[in-house]
Each structure stands twice: as structure tokens, then as C-alpha cells.
Amino acid sequence: MLRGKFGSKLYKGVLTACLALLVVIFVFPIAMTTIHSFKTPDEIKTELKPVIKSSDEEDQEQKDQIGEESKYVDLKLIPSKATLNAYYDILLAQPQFLLLFWNSMKLTVPIVAGQVVVSVLAAYAFSQLRFRLREPLFFAYIVVMLMPFQVTLVPNYIMANSLGLLNTEWSIILPGIFSAFGVFLMRQFMQVVPYSYIEAARIDGAGHMKILLMIVLPMCRSGMAALAVLAFIDNWNMVEQPLIFLKDAIKQPLSVYLAYISEDDIGLAFAASVIYMLPAILLMLHAEKELVEGVQLSGVKG
């Protein structure tokens, strides 16, 4: 008995330590990015000089003279002189940042909304309707979902060019709405909806739309929340699509802008990264309650 209790406590202790270590590993980059956004550019360059590639020959010579000490980064958790200059420059002195932030919203929000609607409708058809070639068609969805992004990039480009959508937001929004992953995810949730509920609704004369809205969707809220969060994060961080489909830099999203911030504006890079992370973090915190409720109600669905 004592050995069993000791083993259980040891297991819980090791598991807790491992989870705490994972939390530190994942939170550390976010914390350091936030802290460095309040530091002066000179302080940031001094701390990160060993990992910042400089094109200046004099800086390179000084770096070689420092020797072994330059191989280590001396990170400070508290800024020597806290400042909001980086946020002022990003939000007020550089209006193009807000424009690019709005571009990201214009691309991401329609994709997420459209993807949820299309995925729910397609998943209902695959899970509740009986029609010919249903399984082969769903297998095709799985194959498309497993394909690398680069495989579908060329067909999407050819189609956008044929429709005259290149250099417009629709060249990115339309392919993003019809996501195979969203259909797969929602179908998995809808398959566990008790068939007796749907059969009873049909006996009462309910049609497919009423069954979907009144029975299926309320039981799949956690699935829609998970899909919305995953779709938002995936499309909020997209880089390849805007670079290929949007030729005008003024139409590109914020994710592309971050890649072009030079080392001379390293302070702006940290501040821009913090602002860039906020929508995804806030959405995740807001959807956490729905996700937890979905897990708690999963036993009722079965």
C-alpha cells in the first residue's frame, strides 16, 4: 500500500515537473520578446550582439577582438531603461504598420468565418447524409489535407490568374475558405452525435437545416471553436500566399512586414512582434472556456 502511494506521488511529481518545464520552454520566447520590446535599441544590440549578423566591417572586427565572451548572450529580465519609443514609432510614427495590421485582419477574418461555414455544411453532408461516392470523395479530402502546401500552390495560382484575381485579397481568401482540414475536423465531431436525436427530429418533420442548427451545431460548439482558433492562427501567420498572390506591398499582411524589419530597427521588431501576437493570444484565451466545456460534454455525446 505504501509503495503504491509513494509510486503514485512520484509519478505525479515527475509529471508536474515535466509539464512545468514545457510551460517554461513555450512561455520563455514570448516573455523575452515582450521584455525586449521595452528596451532601447542600444541595449538590445549589446545583449544580442553575438547572434545578430552585422554587415558593418568595423562591427565585425570589434566582434572578433572580443573573443570568447562574444559567443554568449547576456539576457536581462529587467530593462536598464524602460521605454515606449518602439511602440510609439510602430503605432504613431509609422502608419503603414496599422495599415498592414488591417490587411491581416481583412484576410484572416473572412477566411476563418467562411471556413467554419463551409466546413460545417460539408461535414454534415459527409457524416449524416447517404449518397453515392461519399467515402471516395471524403478520401480525396484526406489526400488533399495531407499534401504539402507547395503542391496546391501552383493550381491555386493558375486558377486565380484565370479568374483575374491575382493581386487581390480574393486570391487568398477563396482557397483558404475551402480547407480540407476543417471538413475533416468537423466530421469527426459530428460523427459522435447520437443518431437517435437526428432520427427523432426527422420523425417530427424537421429538415436538414433545422437538424443542423438545432441539434448538431449545439453539440459541436467545441469543434467549431477549435477550428476557428486553428484556422485563425494558421492564416494569421501566412507568408507564402501573400508573397506570391499579392504583388503590391501595400496589400500584404503584417506577417510579411515582420520578415523585412532590418537589424537597425531591432527594437521595432520586438514591439511589432508583441502587437502581432496579441490577437492570437486573446482569441485563444477567449475560446479556452468553449474548448474546456466541449471536453467536459464529450462523454454525453458518446
Side-chain angles (χ1 to χ4, degrees):
M1 181 69 72
L2 293 177
R3 289 182 179 179
K5 292 183 178 180
F6 177 77
S8 177
K9 291 182 179 179
L10 180 62
Y11 172 77
K12 292 181 179 179
V14 173
L15 181 61
T16 302
C18 292
L19 292 177
L21 179 61
L22 288 176
V23 170
V24 172
I25 292 175
F26 285 107
V27 172
F28 180 78
I30 299 176
M32 295 309 300
T33 300
T34 305
I35 292 173
H36 279 76
S37 67
F38 295 101
K39 294 182 179 181
T40 61
D42 293 337
E43 184 179 1
I44 295 175
K45 290 181 179 180
T46 301
E47 290 185 11
L48 303 182
K49 190 174 183 180
V51 296
I52 296 178
K53 296 181 181 180
S54 177
S55 59
D56 191 292
E57 295 181 357
E58 294 182 358
D59 289 346
Q60 189 65 34
E61 292 178 358
Q62 293 177 0
K63 185 175 181 180
D64 294 337
Q65 293 175 358
I66 294 176
E68 295 296 330
E69 294 181 358
S70 64
K71 295 182 179 180
Y72 302 97
V73 177
D74 183 19
L75 294 178
K76 297 179 181 179
L77 298 180
I78 300 177
S80 300
K81 182 180 179 182
T83 178
L84 295 175
N85 289 340
Y87 289 99
Y88 173 83
D89 293 338
I90 284 290
L91 297 176
L92 298 178
Q94 298 185 12
Q96 68 269 23
F97 177 85
L98 296 179
L99 176 61
L100 296 175
F101 186 90
W102 173 243
N103 289 344
S104 294
M105 284 294 181
K106 287 195 300 182
L107 292 174
T108 305
V109 174
I111 290 177
V112 173
Q115 192 174 133
V116 171
V117 173
V118 172
S119 299
V120 165
L121 295 176
Y124 178 82
F126 280 122
S127 62
Q128 303 300 331
L129 301 183
R130 302 293 184 267
F131 54 90
R132 293 183 58 186
L133 302 179
R134 186 185 68 165
E135 296 303 326
L137 184 58
F138 184 72
F139 179 75
Y141 266 78
I142 300 300
V143 173
V144 173
M145 183 182 69
L146 297 178
M147 285 183 178
F149 167 75
Q150 291 77 8
V151 174
T152 59
L153 186 60
V154 174
N156 288 338
Y157 183 90
I158 295 175
M159 185 174 296
N161 187 33
S162 301
L163 297 176
L165 299 178
L166 286 181
N167 203 30
T168 66
E169 291 83 358
W170 291 108
S171 62
I172 298 177
I173 294 175
L174 290 179
I177 288 177
F178 298 95
S179 170
F181 173 75
V183 177
F184 170 79
L185 181 65
M186 292 308 304
R187 178 180 180 270
Q188 299 306 110
F189 275 88
M190 291 185 183
Q191 277 188 321
V192 298
V193 175
Y195 184 74
S196 58
Y197 293 176
I198 298 177
E199 187 177 11
R202 288 176 179 172
I203 294 175
D204 292 339
H208 289 297
M209 188 57 63
K210 188 173 182 180
I211 292 174
L212 176 64
L213 296 177
M214 303 301 295
I215 298 177
V216 178
L217 291 188
M219 302 184 72
C220 297
R221 287 187 302 173
S222 59
M224 290 188 292
L227 175 59
V229 172
L230 294 175
F232 184 90
I233 294 175
D234 183 35
N235 292 281
W236 184 255
N237 297 322
M238 61 181 172
V239 176
E240 296 91 347
Q241 300 96 315
L243 287 176
I244 295 174
F245 292 103
L246 300 178
K247 303 301 181 182
D248 295 339
I250 198 65
K251 296 182 179 180
Q252 293 178 348
L254 186 58
S255 54
V256 177
Y257 167 79
L258 293 178
Y260 288 102
I261 297 181
S262 64
E263 295 169 0
D264 295 334
D265 298 327
I266 189 67
L268 299 181
F270 284 109
S273 299
V274 172
I275 299 175
Y276 180 74
M277 290 188 297
L278 283 179
I281 294 176
L282 294 176
L283 178 62
M284 186 61 194
L285 295 176
H286 178 73
E288 181 182 5
K289 182 178 179 180
E290 289 291 333
L291 294 174
V292 173
E293 289 179 356
V295 173
Q296 293 175 346
L297 296 175
S298 60
V300 178
K301 296 179 181 180

